[in-house]
Amino acid sequence: MSRKRVEEVALQRIERLFSLAEEVYRERPALAQRYVDLARRIAMRARLSLPREFRRKVCRRCGAFLVPGNSSRIRVRQRREPHVSITCLRCGRVYRIPLGRG
Amino acid sequence: MTGLNERNILTHELIGLEVEVSNDTNPYNINIRGTVIDETRNTFLINVNGKTKRIIKKDAILRFKISEDKIVEVDGRILVSRPEDRIKKRIKRGW
């Protein structure tokens, strides 16, 4: 199968797994985590990086599925450089997304 | 291009699909219907009205609902492999 095909199917699978993860998170967080792990493994196998929207829903250090208010804390910080900070509440890692000047 | 179809089902995501067991070496499993909730190398976990059933791939023939009006029957033996490994290869056809 061509590289293009593999990539295409991989992206579709990743999308589906993330949407399923969001669906089941409330009821079964462990299953949601399993879907996210699978999505990441599929990305790895297809040698793709996760699309940005999904990258921000997963902790880079521990792989946790980040749900704002539940497994992650999101704050807008104004001081010094304005940025959004995302804290993983499982491992404590902090991510910063710079906000450029607006 | 397009989403899930009968050509790419072998490499596509099966979790979340509606499925029916059309044949199985375990007669109790035949006609089980439900949603695939997880997949391992050798089995599927299927949610059947709130109960979870584990179906052994190599022993079963499964019908997946890939869209509103399309159902595909697949021999479980060709699905034996980890879900993330299924995405590649598979050019040879065993049927």
Side-chain angles (χ1 to χ4, degrees):
Chain A
M1 211 157 52
S2 72
R3 164 120 189 104
K4 190 108 193 78
R5 281 270 177 70
V6 172
E7 274 178 16
E8 190 185 302
V9 172
L11 285 175
Q12 287 168 8
R13 291 182 72 175
I14 290 165
E15 265 165 43
R16 178 118 124 252
L17 285 165
F18 268 93
S19 75
L20 285 169
E22 313 239 334
E23 263 172 51
V24 302
Y25 181 78
R26 213 172 236 286
E27 307 259 303
R28 303 182 63 180
L31 188 63
Q33 184 62 52
R34 159 85 180 145
Y35 291 167
V36 170
D37 292 343
L38 262 179
R40 297 179 84 211
R41 260 186 260 163
I42 286 165
M44 256 186 259
R45 212 45 62 100
R47 306 197 69 218
L48 292 170
S49 53
L50 283 178
R52 179 181 288 181
E53 48 177 323
F54 302 127
R55 206 151 57 216
R56 290 187 176 162
K57 290 179 183 167
V58 182
C59 174
R60 286 215 159 193
R61 185 202 264 168
C62 70
F65 183 35
L66 298 179
V67 178
N70 230 325
S71 56
S72 73
R73 185 198 302 134
I74 300 193
R75 294 290 182 268
V76 182
R77 306 224 192 239
Q78 297 287 8
R79 282 186 218 173
R80 268 183 25 183
E81 282 295 287
H83 62 277
V84 174
S85 77
I86 304 177
T87 310
C88 168
L89 297 180
R90 188 162 92 182
C91 70
R93 173 103 156 124
V94 183
Y95 300 90
R96 295 196 176 83
I97 302 173
L99 285 178
R101 42 242 96 205
Chain B
M1 252 185 317
T2 49
L4 173 65
N5 61 38
E6 65 275 19
R7 297 245 286 291
N8 63 20
I9 183 159
L10 297 181
T11 58
H12 215 288
E13 192 52 60
L14 301 173
I15 292 175
L17 295 183
E18 293 284 317
V19 71
E20 185 185 350
V21 179
S22 68
N23 206 348
D24 196 312
T25 55
N26 174 355
Y28 291 102
N29 283 344
I30 296 173
N31 287 331
I32 283 179
R33 252 167 194 287
T35 317
V36 181
I37 58 168
D38 205 350
E39 179 184 358
T40 66
R41 183 171 183 277
N42 290 310
T43 66
F44 284 114
L45 275 167
I46 297 176
N47 181 1
V48 187
N49 305 322
K51 270 199 196 152
T52 305
K53 298 267 184 193
R54 195 179 283 273
I55 305 292
I56 298 171
K57 290 181 185 174
K58 72 172 162 57
D59 292 343
I61 292 176
L62 300 143
R63 291 202 188 109
F64 291 98
K65 188 173 180 186
I66 58 174
S67 67
E68 265 327 297
D69 50 357
K70 243 186 206 168
I71 290 172
V72 173
E73 192 169 74
V74 185
D75 187 329
R77 280 177 300 185
I78 59 178
L79 295 174
V80 176
S81 77
R82 282 179 292 171
E84 69 270 29
D85 290 338
R86 232 166 2 88
I87 196 155
K88 288 220 173 158
K89 67 183 175 166
R90 179 116 43 217
I91 294 151
K92 65 164 188 190
R93 302 205 157 172
W95 66 90

